[in-house]
Amino acid sequence: MEEGVVNEILQGPLRDVFDSKQLITDISGSGNNWAVGHKVFGSLYQEQILEKLRKSAEHCDCLQCFFVIHSMGGGTGSGLGTFLLKVLEDEFPEVYRFVTSVYPSGEDDVITSPYNSMLAMKELNEHADCVLPIDNQSLFDIISKIDLMVNSGKLGTAIKPKSLVTSSAGAFKKRQEKPFDAMNNIVANLLLNLTSSARFEGSLNMDLNEISMNLVPFPQLHYLVSSLTPLYTLADVNIPSRRLDQMFSDAFSKDHQLIQADPKHSLYLACALMVRGNVQISDLRRNIERLKPSLRFVSWNQEGWKTSLCSVPPVGHSHSLLALANNTCVKPTFIELRERFTRLYKKRAHLHHYLQIEGMEESCFTEAMSSLSALIQEYNQLDATKSMPAEDLPRLRVAV
Amino acid sequence: MSIVTVQLGQCGNQIGFEVFDALFSDSHCPQGLCSKRENEAYQASCKERFFSEEENGVPIARAVLVDMEPKVINQTLSKAAHSGRWKYGQHSCFCQKQGSGNNWAYGYSVHGPRHEESIMNLIQKEVEKCDSLNGFLIIMSMAGGTGSGLGAFVTQNLQDRYSNSLKMNQIIWPYGTGEVIVQNYNSILTLSHLYRSSDALLIHENDAVHKICAKLMNIKQISFRDINQVLAHQLGSVFQPTYSGEGSFHYRRNPLGDLMENLVPHPEFKMLGVRNIPQMSENSLAYSTFTWAGLLKHLRQMLISNAKMEEGIDWQVRPPLSGLPMLGKMSLNKEFHFNTSIANLVILRGKDVHSAELGAFKDPALYTSWLEPVHAFSVWKTQRAFSKYEKSAALVSNSQFLVKPLDMIVGKAWNMFASKAYIHQYTKFGIEEEDFLDSFTLLEQVIASYCNLGF
């Protein structure tokens, strides 16, 4: 809803990739106000948005999925973005809606981000098929780790230049001034790996509709924690299989998650491993066997693994792994979100900016809060089963 | 008589390709170890069964390829065409764009009815190319969405439209751990539906084939291609031509019918398993010799101890002494359980095949009481060696082979069902909780029936 960012893209190296007729911009922006984005710009631009969506959809032989990419803390991405979700659901009910959401970190500089995030969460709960939450702190930690490896200059451990997950020309020097480019690059890689099996051949394909089918056991619980490995490849030509196994171990370590979360110490509902490159089914199975004992799965899904093998690795790597986990470790993120919201809301701080928008009432806030609380409660209930032993339920008995 | 193969889903198509390739390679193998005339008769029989002729002489597989997304079919078609030796028909495939999302309900209730006409037309065209149709071989997996759901739908349709032809489903049993999270749901829905509409279910377990690749073939980094090739070898050893009877040198014309007649005497018992021996890497083959006595001894013990391959066989298991009652019902947990058979078929291929001694397989102690061994046991033979093995034997068995895996799948599916996890994904497309319950009931019945065979 402001022109700066879109103009920059249109003047950048990828300007030909985007169809300039498929862009919608306004001038003043949403002022970090979810209500402005959702209610004001939503109704203003609904027709235009629908028209452009229909046009894009017409070009497709078979439309399977929408990717909505936005942040939760601002006004446009958060407000208009979630408005769009409802539009997509109404207009294209059979098409999956995948949302990549950047959640506000602890030291977020937008004061109203708790309000925006909370209001957006309700929409995500109700209208998204699958959400991949991401936070800037984790992304920043990842690129710091990469920088450390690059600059440590350990003897003999030169990093292949094109293999960095965040590689782009001259990225190193600019890192200090433009960390967001590198951080966003990681998210881009996430989406690349997510769609790799749909774009390339492999011995065990996995389409986007399979992600939702396998990883969302109950409609509400559709938040997936993602992790990406490897972040870089060493220049070693000889990659022993230990390196391959290391890749699997890394995928389950805290340092590789794209959101602050610790899946290993929480409860898994389901887990998907999307492997690219020269990896075969036996490697996959060996690693699952190896890692399984240290992971806690919910009692009714003890073998809750979904796997896929794509033959084509990402540029500069010989193999890569994207792990998507439906895990109760997202709960702390939501609890923290609720706490930050409550602190602001108790004082009614900045509330007038929202309430003065037509269509906004206090009930919007309280409803959003209960929606989130209900979600947290579901995760709590699942966590409570963590320590219970897995019981085999009595089966149907038939007369012989 | 000809067999039309329907390949469904990624698994079905990948395996189908390997099967036709194995059949073709074997029938053109120069080491048939038999006379030229014999070899030609074998080739001709194999060709009639599985391939039709095109003008420029390249045989075309009698197959219909179905998948709900295009990548695998395109790959399969081009692999066959590139081999230059055989290929698939140009218009034999049906393909969509969006896949089935591992959702049985989507494959069965959405894709099925939507594409019924197109798919059945393709099959009809293939059937018309046959002089005389023996039946259908349907290759599918249980774990995914297309093979399992659409496969069940297509089989049902085949039953309605070709009620006089036989249908045998080749079903791939997924790995116990994780290929697909909802694989147990998809499996029970598939099995229960196929039980009602198919004539026989020939089941191949990924876990078992994987072990064969690891232990017998010594493959270090096992790929799906390796697994599929072992599977194709097993299927080839069953379906390649054999003599039509004792003392005859003409090739059997009705393999599917004979198989069903021998192995599926009762509709409650349709689950067949395959074992074959020997199985080894080509390198080792050059250094090995076999005797029929040795091969058959191992095969028999594999049968009664329910071993999946010729290594690690439990030789402690013995048939119960005849006349004494079985002590207690078959417990699914017992270690030394003896595998009771309803019917067995042994297929022998290679040198001196007529000297093979099969008396041990006719022991009544191996079988249930309601069939005489003379009816329960049959043999097919040919002198013509299979796929470079000087002597090879395959066993197709209707026995308690699959009770334990079936029980495990039903148990896991039941646990998940009790928590209602993922059910909304199925009800979205018209498969209700009742359908699940029906499937559970049917399969519990099958498990119970097989368990009680010892009496």
Side-chain angles (χ1 to χ4, degrees):
Chain A
M1 294 289 103
E2 52 155 15
E3 300 180 316
V5 182
V6 175
N7 281 343
E8 215 183 292
I9 296 178
L10 288 178
Q11 281 152 25
L14 290 177
R15 57 179 170 270
D16 294 326
V17 175
F18 292 94
D19 182 350
S20 57
K21 299 193 289 297
Q22 294 288 92
L23 301 170
I24 301 178
T25 55
D26 201 296
I27 316 250
S28 47
S30 303
N32 283 331
N33 187 330
W34 184 92
V36 170
H38 195 95
K39 305 275 184 193
V40 174
F41 285 123
S43 54
L44 199 60
Y45 284 102
Q46 179 165 9
E47 270 318 305
Q48 260 197 58
I49 291 174
L50 266 176
E51 193 201 305
K52 295 194 197 281
L53 277 174
R54 281 192 204 121
K55 210 159 147 247
S56 281
E58 268 161 36
H59 285 298
C60 305
D61 272 334
C62 175
L63 181 59
Q64 186 174 72
C65 167
F66 286 112
F67 279 118
V68 176
I69 309 178
H70 73 148
S71 75
M72 300 284 278
T76 304
S78 175
L80 187 55
T82 48
F83 175 80
L84 246 181
L85 267 183
K86 186 86 180 52
V87 167
L88 291 174
E89 191 179 33
D90 291 335
E91 186 73 13
F92 304 93
E94 295 186 354
V95 180
Y96 286 91
R97 295 170 293 287
F98 273 71
V99 186
T100 309
S101 308
V102 182
Y103 279 66
S105 306
E107 314 109 35
D108 187 54
D109 53 2
V110 175
I111 302 181
T112 50
S113 70
Y115 286 158
N116 297 332
S117 308
M118 178 64 82
L119 291 162
M121 269 300 283
K122 174 161 178 293
E123 306 297 316
L124 288 184
N125 272 341
E126 290 170 18
H127 304 298
D129 285 312
C130 221
V131 179
L132 300 162
I134 311 218
D135 76 54
N136 281 334
Q137 189 58 49
S138 304
L139 294 179
F140 191 74
D141 288 342
I142 289 178
I143 60 169
S144 306
K145 194 166 162 233
I146 296 178
D147 277 347
L148 208 66
M149 268 309 290
V150 170
N151 296 327
S152 71
K154 281 203 245 177
L155 222 63
T157 58
I159 294 189
K160 272 200 325 197
K162 286 225 172 111
S163 74
L164 282 183
V165 146
T166 62
S167 72
S168 53
F172 295 164
K173 303 265 169 51
K174 289 202 208 149
R175 190 59 61 77
Q176 261 55 33
E177 303 107 60
K178 281 192 173 181
F180 283 110
D181 275 354
M183 289 156 66
N184 294 341
N185 208 295
I186 298 178
V187 183
N189 274 286
L190 161 68
L191 290 172
L192 274 183
N193 282 349
L194 198 66
T195 54
S196 60
S197 204
R199 294 178 290 125
F200 299 115
E201 54 167 41
S203 59
L204 191 57
N205 294 336
M206 177 160 147
D207 267 332
L208 296 158
N209 47 12
E210 294 175 29
I211 295 181
S212 175
M213 176 71 184
N214 283 287
L215 294 174
V216 183
F218 300 100
Q220 289 284 16
L221 305 176
H222 55 245
Y223 295 87
L224 306 179
V225 176
S226 45
S227 72
L228 208 49
T229 63
L231 301 171
Y232 49 78
T233 313
L234 298 184
D236 263 321
V237 174
N238 246 339
I239 305 182
S241 69
R242 201 166 60 86
R243 180 77 31 207
L244 185 62
D245 288 10
Q246 185 61 41
M247 179 175 81
F248 282 90
S249 304
D250 282 341
F252 290 91
S253 98
K254 263 201 305 191
D255 302 328
H256 285 254
Q257 310 293 326
L258 271 63
I259 187 171
Q260 302 277 301
D262 191 7
K264 257 187 153 159
H265 295 106
S266 307
L267 189 64
Y268 275 89
L269 302 178
C271 185
L273 296 173
M274 305 182 67
V275 187
R276 295 179 68 174
N278 185 18
V279 182
Q280 302 299 347
I281 186 72
S282 54
D283 301 313
L284 197 48
R285 301 188 55 70
R286 181 182 68 242
N287 279 288
I288 292 181
E289 287 307 312
R290 188 171 61 87
L291 292 165
K292 221 166 49 157
S294 59
L295 305 171
R296 219 29 131 355
F297 272 82
V298 74
S299 64
W300 41 260
N301 204 0
Q302 291 280 301
E303 270 98 21
W305 297 90
K306 162 74 179 156
T307 55
S308 83
L309 294 167
C310 173
S311 322
V312 180
V315 177
H317 294 265
S318 60
H319 37 68
S320 81
L321 171 64
L322 167 67
L324 294 173
N326 192 339
N327 187 308
T328 56
C329 65
V330 287
K331 198 174 61 169
T333 306
F334 298 149
I335 292 181
E336 215 190 289
L337 183 59
R338 186 171 59 179
E339 259 155 45
R340 273 193 253 132
F341 171 84
T342 314
R343 261 177 285 164
L344 266 187
Y345 190 66
K346 259 198 323 213
K347 305 276 176 51
R348 298 284 186 273
H350 301 280
L351 213 52
H352 57 283
H353 292 298
Y354 293 79
L355 296 176
Q356 73 191 18
I357 306 289
E358 194 187 313
M360 285 298 288
E361 293 161 9
E362 285 215 23
S363 60
C364 296
F365 288 86
T366 46
E367 274 169 22
M369 172 80 149
S370 14
S371 170
L372 184 58
S373 295
L375 183 65
I376 294 176
Q377 186 51 17
E378 284 212 39
Y379 280 113
N380 276 334
Q381 278 174 343
L382 282 166
D383 268 335
T385 67
K386 201 169 32 159
S387 41
M388 283 166 27
E391 266 177 35
D392 267 338
L393 294 148
R395 299 251 295 266
L396 288 178
R397 289 214 281 189
V398 290
V400 178
Chain B
M1 289 176 103
S2 310
I3 297 179
V4 169
T5 303
V6 183
Q7 308 178 182
L8 289 146
Q10 173 165 30
C11 176
N13 281 296
Q14 282 177 188
I15 290 182
F17 169 78
E18 300 293 349
V19 171
F20 281 105
D21 207 43
L23 291 170
F24 187 89
S25 304
D26 170 58
S27 71
H28 285 80
C29 178
Q31 290 141 291
L33 299 180
C34 60
S35 71
K36 184 156 174 259
R37 222 177 53 155
E38 171 87 61
N39 208 31
E40 281 170 7
Y42 185 84
Q43 266 185 19
S45 177
C46 169
K47 181 113 163 276
E48 191 204 353
R49 250 181 227 187
F50 293 107
F51 295 92
S52 61
E53 188 87 47
E54 170 131 301
E55 307 95 43
N56 56 3
V58 178
I60 303 188
R62 296 187 193 276
V64 174
L65 297 83
V66 178
D67 199 0
M68 294 296 107
E69 58 116 355
K71 294 196 297 289
V72 182
I73 286 194
N74 288 341
Q75 246 189 320
T76 310
L77 288 176
S78 71
K79 268 203 292 199
H82 277 140
S83 74
R85 301 172 299 153
W86 64 275
K87 59 182 184 182
Y88 284 105
Q90 258 177 342
H91 304 288
S92 309
C93 48
F94 178 80
C95 189
Q96 288 295 286
K97 297 271 167 94
Q98 84 255 56
S100 304
N102 285 168
N103 192 328
W104 194 93
Y106 202 83
Y108 186 82
S109 311
V110 176
H111 283 309
R114 203 183 276 176
H115 307 299
E116 187 179 337
E117 277 318 303
S118 313
I119 297 177
M120 299 315 286
N121 278 343
L122 271 186
I123 296 180
Q124 176 67 20
K125 276 213 281 236
E126 199 57 52
V127 168
E128 275 162 19
K129 283 196 229 164
C130 308
D131 276 336
S132 99
L133 178 68
N134 193 213
F136 299 96
L137 215 53
I138 301 139
I139 311 185
M140 55 196 264
S141 73
M142 285 201 310
T146 302
S148 68
L150 186 57
F153 184 85
V154 168
T155 309
Q156 236 166 266
N157 253 273
L158 288 175
Q159 188 185 39
D160 293 335
R161 298 193 196 205
Y162 301 92
S163 48
N164 287 329
S165 300
L166 297 163
K167 294 163 299 299
M168 175 175 254
N169 290 67
Q170 303 294 322
I171 303 180
I172 307 305
W173 203 273
Y175 286 101
T177 317
E179 291 177 34
V180 170
I181 293 178
V182 289
Q183 65 189 41
N184 299 317
Y185 280 167
N186 292 341
S187 301
I188 58 142
L189 288 165
T190 306
L191 284 171
S192 63
H193 277 78
L194 286 181
Y195 229 84
R196 295 183 206 123
S197 52
S198 175
D199 296 309
L201 311 177
L202 188 53
I203 295 179
H204 307 271
E205 299 170 74
N206 270 351
D207 277 308
V209 181
H210 191 105
K211 283 216 190 86
I212 292 178
C213 288
K215 300 259 167 70
L216 298 180
M217 317 280 287
N218 268 318
I219 304 176
K220 292 286 177 267
Q221 208 193 13
I222 300 171
S223 66
F224 270 120
R225 181 135 196 268
D226 299 316
I227 294 195
N228 293 345
Q229 285 180 334
V230 170
L231 257 165
H233 178 94
Q234 282 189 335
L235 280 175
S237 69
V238 174
F239 286 109
Q240 284 292 50
T242 50
Y243 301 135
S244 56
E246 199 64 53
S248 160
F249 284 94
H250 291 292
Y251 281 104
R252 188 179 298 274
R253 303 216 64 227
N254 184 4
L256 281 182
D258 293 338
L259 208 141
M260 309 285 189
E261 198 187 306
N262 293 332
L263 291 175
V264 190
H266 189 296
E268 182 75 3
F269 300 95
K270 285 185 181 169
M271 305 204 344
L272 310 177
V274 179
R275 303 283 183 269
N276 71 332
I277 187 172
Q279 182 83 276
M280 56 182 52
S281 68
E282 258 190 60
N283 302 334
S284 319
L285 202 52
Y287 302 102
S288 316
T289 54
F290 309 102
T291 62
W292 285 118
L295 290 176
L296 290 172
K297 183 164 172 218
H298 278 75
L299 196 60
R300 181 176 180 272
Q301 193 61 23
M302 278 161 73
L303 167 65
I304 63 182
S305 68
N306 200 357
K308 316 272 183 176
M309 58 179 187
E310 69 216 54
E311 206 181 276
I313 302 177
D314 185 352
W315 291 93
Q316 302 273 27
V317 179
R318 298 272 157 73
L321 295 169
S322 46
L324 293 176
M326 279 284 278
L327 300 166
K329 265 196 193 171
M330 169 182 173
S331 158
L332 288 158
N333 298 321
K334 257 199 330 186
E335 282 294 328
F336 300 119
H337 177 71
F338 168 78
N339 185 42
T340 309
S341 306
I342 296 177
N344 287 314
L345 166 64
V346 167
I347 306 173
L348 303 175
R349 299 174 185 276
K351 202 163 143 197
D352 301 328
V353 76
H354 295 294
S355 67
E357 179 51 59
L358 289 146
F361 278 94
K362 300 181 187 159
D363 182 354
L366 267 57
Y367 300 96
T368 63
S369 52
W370 39 270
L371 266 186
E372 298 288 312
V374 66
H375 298 301
F377 176 71
S378 14
V379 191
W380 293 357
K381 295 183 187 167
T382 173
Q383 267 174 182
R384 210 287 195 166
F386 176 65
S387 194
K388 301 186 194 160
Y389 285 88
E390 180 197 70
K391 299 186 177 77
S392 65
L395 165 71
V396 185
S397 174
N398 189 345
S399 64
Q400 294 169 322
F401 265 169
L402 291 151
V403 174
K404 215 150 165 224
L406 181 58
D407 187 66
M408 264 190 22
I409 283 197
V410 171
K412 289 191 206 164
W414 184 248
N415 268 337
M416 200 184 261
F417 183 68
S419 73
K420 300 283 179 278
Y422 299 101
I423 299 292
H424 71 284
Q425 309 269 15
Y426 292 86
T427 53
K428 218 169 24 168
F429 299 109
I431 299 295
E432 303 297 333
E433 285 189 22
E434 291 222 340
D435 298 303
F436 278 90
L437 283 170
D438 284 343
S439 302
F440 280 116
T441 315
L442 192 151
L443 292 176
E444 294 282 11
Q445 182 75 52
V446 171
I447 295 174
S449 304
Y450 269 102
C451 275
N452 283 321
L453 281 182
F455 295 91

